[in-house]
Amino acid sequence: MFNRKSILSLVLLLTCIMAAKAQVKIGFEVSFKEPQAHYAEVQMNISGLVKDYVDVKMPVWTPGSYLVREFEKSVEEFKATASGKAVRVEKVRKNTWRIFSAKAANIQINYRVYAFEISVRTPFIDESHAFLSPTGIFMHPDGMIKSPSTVKIIPFKTWSKVSTGLTPVAGENFTYKATDFDILYDSPIEVGNQDVFEFMASGVRHEVAMYGGGNYDKEKLKVDMAKIVEQETAVYGENPNKYYLFIVHNFARGGGGLEHLNSTTLGATRTAYNTEAGYKGFLGLVAHEYHHLWNVKRLRPVALGPFDYDNENYTTNLWVAEGFTSYYENKYMHRAGFNDANTFVNDLAGGIAVVLNTPGSKYQSASESSYDAWIIGYRPNENSKNNSISYYNKGEVIGILMDLEIINATKGAKSLDDVMKAMYLQCKTLKRGYTDAEFKAMVEKISGISFTNFWAKYVNGVDDAEYVKYFGYAGVDVSTENATPGKPVTGASGQLSNSGLVVTSVTRNSAAWIDGLNVNDEIVSLDDVSINDALSTLRLRSPMLSLDILPVVAKKNIGEVLKVKIKRDGIDKELSLTLKENPSVRLKATINENATAAQKAVFQKWAGK
């Protein structure tokens, strides 16, 4: 039992500890001596942390991209001084450096980072710009994730701009502050001569930083991106930011995006803005990543924050986080006026067809796909399509079905929008993420019906989507046809090489699968026609191709035998493939003009227009 003196002593001790933590200051300075060689120079200053040694750690992954990427592999020339004197440094884990500071009050750490991987989730530096993806650049003292820090950027001599979602430090050029390392690690930084423009939407100032040039129309983008922002904010009833940044990297061929708390990084094709498909593709990417402002960054699975930056962070709910966001991308494009109702329903039907046509959808559930993101999702192999399904694709299908089920059950009064808003507010109130059970409970509360069977079939099970039934709720007819009626298929694809055609993919239960054609087999001839002769009549735009486009295959009938001569590990072999019908299907959605009043009410709520 504590007496009064013990309690006072404990209070004094806690006060001293809090004061000591408050006195610790962490600052970074990033410069670029050799950008053409793809290096950043990082100086980290720590003061007030008086210990025998200090461990500093670099994250091994970046939130939103569920793969351990080992960013520490790019760190060079790590060294440290304590109170101005060089001190011993020892690497004690793959991502942890121990500095023997001997209770010095001031520590300076210097290291270089090699950055030459183009993606939205990895740092990249060359003579034209620097993209600093923070988890691959910065480090934190062990156990001090919640500590504030400052970052000063010193642009290369030919660069003049810095774009980031971090808060500027008043009166200090290119200097920013983060309230903790979660914020720092979630705030990418673009340095260079990017083209910057702004627009207002939903009361929020939005900045767009364009790198790499392109045939974009800034004035048109301002209007159209604002439409997307306003549609998304309307679902959740509030926009949690005062400022939001789009960093856009324009390349010869680009794509992909990564969400952050008040920013996103997008990849785009610089010459595609003036085509309908290219422009809508970019707006769809904007819609997807902006939706993560709520779904993932704030409305999130409980496992995704606070983060463990040293290890994998497992969750079974990425089908909500990413899959629902893919679904909402289509909804926002329709609601904002970029796609008509016919395009809307057919894009969604196409998404269902993708899952139906992926053999792995029969073997891996959406929840399993989410959990296995760390080992399969970001590093698929030649057999992944046969034993796994993307939580993006399967989650999109679940979103479609769930939305229609809720709308139908409530006779058009409620939709998935209501669930997403309620879960966002719940996470905001509880200051934590949701569990799978909590998400299911909210769906049932909003809809007024049980979703236990739905969860068993579509979330934790591998049942095919009952798309005719669900689209029928909204008066949309869906027809199904074979993707290539009457045409035989081998089920194998290959890649052109100097020696001919090498098999790269074999589809489960296809002729190639059943009759023993393997990945890495080198095809010598088909029905005694040399592979070079078989390819000679084709005008190929890509080194990747399906064997089924070759004339010697296409002229055959379903059930006929294709004789295939191969080399396998240098040994000649001959196989006989009994050609099968293509199991893939195409779906076509048609809005029924004679739909009932109830169906029209469901469609109206579903489409949101």
Side-chain angles (χ1 to χ4, degrees):
M1 181 175 181
F2 282 110
N3 57 33
R4 187 165 180 263
K5 185 175 180 181
S6 298
I7 293 173
L8 288 173
S9 298
L10 182 59
V11 170
L12 181 61
L13 177 61
L14 291 173
T15 302
C16 290
I17 292 172
M18 292 176 66
K21 284 189 175 182
Q23 292 170 3
V24 175
K25 292 185 178 180
I26 304 169
F28 296 91
E29 185 176 285
V30 184
S31 58
F32 310 91
K33 290 194 303 186
E34 296 182 296
Q36 83 291 345
H38 320 299
Y39 279 95
E41 319 295 325
V42 183
Q43 179 176 302
M44 180 181 185
N45 296 295
I46 307 173
S47 64
L49 189 59
V50 181
K51 299 174 66 176
D52 290 330
Y53 64 83
V54 174
D55 288 346
V56 294
K57 312 178 82 170
M58 176 172 272
V60 301
W61 70 288
T62 193
S65 182
Y66 307 102
L67 176 67
V68 171
R69 296 182 183 276
E70 316 288 22
F71 293 121
E72 67 279 359
K73 69 182 180 292
S74 298
V75 173
E76 300 178 16
E77 299 182 43
F78 188 101
K79 55 190 176 183
T81 61
S83 296
K85 296 181 180 179
V87 294
R88 182 165 66 95
V89 172
E90 180 182 343
K91 197 168 186 181
V92 295
R93 281 194 60 180
K94 64 181 182 180
N95 66 325
T96 307
W97 290 258
R98 178 164 294 170
I99 300 140
F100 292 89
S101 49
K103 293 186 171 62
N106 298 287
I107 304 170
Q108 179 178 303
I109 303 164
N110 292 88
Y111 57 92
R112 310 181 82 202
V113 178
Y114 179 75
F116 195 53
E117 181 182 346
I118 294 178
S119 82
V120 295
R121 54 193 169 260
T122 50
F124 180 88
I125 302 167
D126 66 11
E127 77 287 348
S128 65
H129 81 129
F131 172 62
L132 305 181
S133 180
T135 48
I137 297 291
F138 300 110
M139 301 184 185
H140 62 273
D142 188 22
M144 300 186 69
I145 283 288
K146 292 304 178 183
S147 298
S149 62
T150 60
V151 176
K152 181 177 182 179
I153 304 295
I154 303 175
F156 187 61
K157 60 186 177 182
T158 58
W159 303 344
S160 62
K161 297 176 183 177
V162 175
S163 300
T164 180
L166 290 169
T167 302
V169 175
E172 297 187 38
N173 201 28
F174 298 146
T175 304
Y176 307 88
K177 58 185 177 182
T179 53
D180 56 44
F181 277 89
D182 285 320
I183 295 296
L184 177 59
Y185 289 149
D186 205 24
S187 302
I189 304 169
E190 177 70 21
V191 190
N193 299 307
Q194 55 270 25
D195 182 17
V196 178
F197 60 90
E198 296 183 359
F199 65 90
M200 291 293 296
S202 297
V204 178
R205 181 171 71 90
H206 293 76
E207 185 172 287
V208 182
M210 288 279 196
Y211 162 78
N215 56 6
Y216 53 87
D217 181 333
K218 285 189 277 192
E219 297 307 314
K220 183 174 175 59
L221 281 174
K222 289 177 185 179
V223 173
D224 290 342
M225 291 172 76
K227 291 178 182 177
I228 291 170
V229 169
E230 287 159 0
Q231 288 296 330
E232 300 199 9
T233 303
V235 169
Y236 292 95
E238 64 181 34
N239 196 305
N241 290 316
K242 297 295 182 186
Y243 167 81
Y244 190 92
L245 171 67
F246 295 91
I247 297 174
V248 184
H249 293 153
N250 293 300
F251 297 111
R253 292 186 67 183
L258 187 64
E259 70 276 2
H260 301 282
L261 198 65
N262 70 339
S263 64
T264 185
T265 305
L266 309 177
T269 300
R270 66 170 63 96
T271 58
Y273 290 96
N274 64 349
T275 67
E276 181 180 10
Y279 189 63
K280 286 185 177 180
F282 177 74
L283 291 180
L285 181 60
V286 168
H288 184 106
E289 297 304 330
Y290 198 83
H291 187 240
H292 280 315
L293 186 161
W294 295 276
N295 190 25
V296 171
K297 300 314 298 184
R298 293 166 176 86
L299 158 58
R300 59 176 175 79
V302 70
L304 298 185
F307 296 113
D308 177 354
Y309 293 101
D310 294 331
N311 302 289
E312 294 92 341
N313 292 231
Y314 295 102
T315 174
T316 58
N317 290 108
L318 292 179
W319 57 273
V320 176
E322 290 292 355
F324 279 20
T325 299
S326 293
Y327 170 49
Y328 270 91
E329 175 185 330
N330 286 297
K331 293 188 77 169
Y332 294 137
M333 289 294 286
H334 176 55
R335 290 176 178 179
F338 302 119
N339 288 331
D340 61 19
N342 184 63
T343 301
F344 171 66
V345 296
N346 275 284
D347 281 351
L348 296 180
I352 293 172
V354 168
V355 173
L356 292 175
N357 293 334
T358 303
S361 68
K362 308 293 192 298
Y363 296 89
Q364 186 185 52
S365 70
S367 57
E368 290 170 335
S369 175
S370 172
Y371 200 84
D372 288 343
W374 298 90
I375 58 173
I376 298 176
Y378 281 85
R379 47 184 179 193
N381 62 26
E382 69 282 352
N383 197 47
S384 293
K385 71 175 183 179
N386 292 320
N387 63 13
S388 62
I389 186 66
S390 164
Y391 50 79
Y392 283 84
N393 296 337
K394 187 62 181 290
E396 179 182 15
V397 172
I398 294 172
I400 296 167
L401 305 187
M402 187 179 291
D403 200 5
L404 286 166
E405 188 76 281
I406 295 168
I407 298 168
N408 187 64
T410 61
K411 295 181 169 55
K414 300 289 183 180
S415 73
L416 187 58
D417 290 7
D418 298 284
V419 174
M420 299 301 282
K421 180 179 180 180
M423 289 304 299
Y424 162 69
L425 294 174
Q426 176 176 300
C427 290
K428 180 180 177 181
T429 300
L430 298 178
K431 294 182 172 57
R432 65 165 176 80
Y434 60 84
T435 65
D436 185 73
E438 287 173 333
F439 196 92
K440 177 174 177 287
M442 185 62 76
V443 173
E444 292 178 333
K445 178 181 177 181
I446 297 293
S447 66
I449 62 173
S450 172
F451 266 77
T452 296
N453 190 47
F454 185 99
W455 240 255
K457 292 169 63 175
Y458 299 126
V459 176
N460 299 320
V462 295
D463 288 24
D464 286 342
E466 299 172 272
Y467 52 89
V468 173
K469 166 189 167 182
Y470 283 97
F471 275 65
Y473 290 160
V476 178
D477 299 325
V478 182
S479 61
T480 308
E481 65 177 16
N482 189 276
T484 55
K487 300 291 185 181
V489 292
T490 61
S493 295
Q495 181 172 4
L496 297 177
S497 68
N498 292 333
S499 55
L501 184 65
V502 177
V503 177
T504 57
S505 174
V506 173
T507 300
R508 184 186 288 270
N509 295 328
S510 66
W513 174 284
I514 292 169
D515 295 322
L517 188 63
N518 290 181
V519 168
N520 295 328
D521 285 348
E522 180 186 331
I523 296 179
V524 176
S525 68
L526 301 171
D527 279 354
D528 295 322
V529 177
S530 75
I531 193 62
N532 289 330
D533 287 343
L535 291 166
S536 64
T537 59
L538 300 178
R539 293 183 178 180
L540 299 174
R541 296 183 178 181
S542 168
M544 305 295 295
L545 72 152
S546 166
L547 268 64
D548 305 326
I549 70 169
L550 299 174
V552 68
V553 178
K555 71 180 183 181
K556 299 183 82 70
N557 296 314
I558 295 168
E560 290 186 341
V561 173
L562 177 71
K563 185 169 66 175
V564 184
K565 290 182 179 179
I566 62 170
K567 280 188 179 293
R568 181 179 295 168
D569 192 29
I571 299 174
D572 292 326
K573 288 182 175 292
E574 183 172 314
L575 305 172
S576 295
L577 273 59
T578 302
L579 299 179
K580 302 180 68 175
E581 183 180 37
N582 188 355
S584 295
V585 297
R586 278 197 298 256
L587 304 185
K588 183 179 179 181
T590 305
I591 300 171
N592 187 345
E593 295 181 357
N594 298 315
T596 66
Q599 288 174 320
K600 288 179 180 179
V602 171
F603 187 88
Q604 179 67 24
K605 186 69 173 180
W606 183 35
K609 287 189 70 179

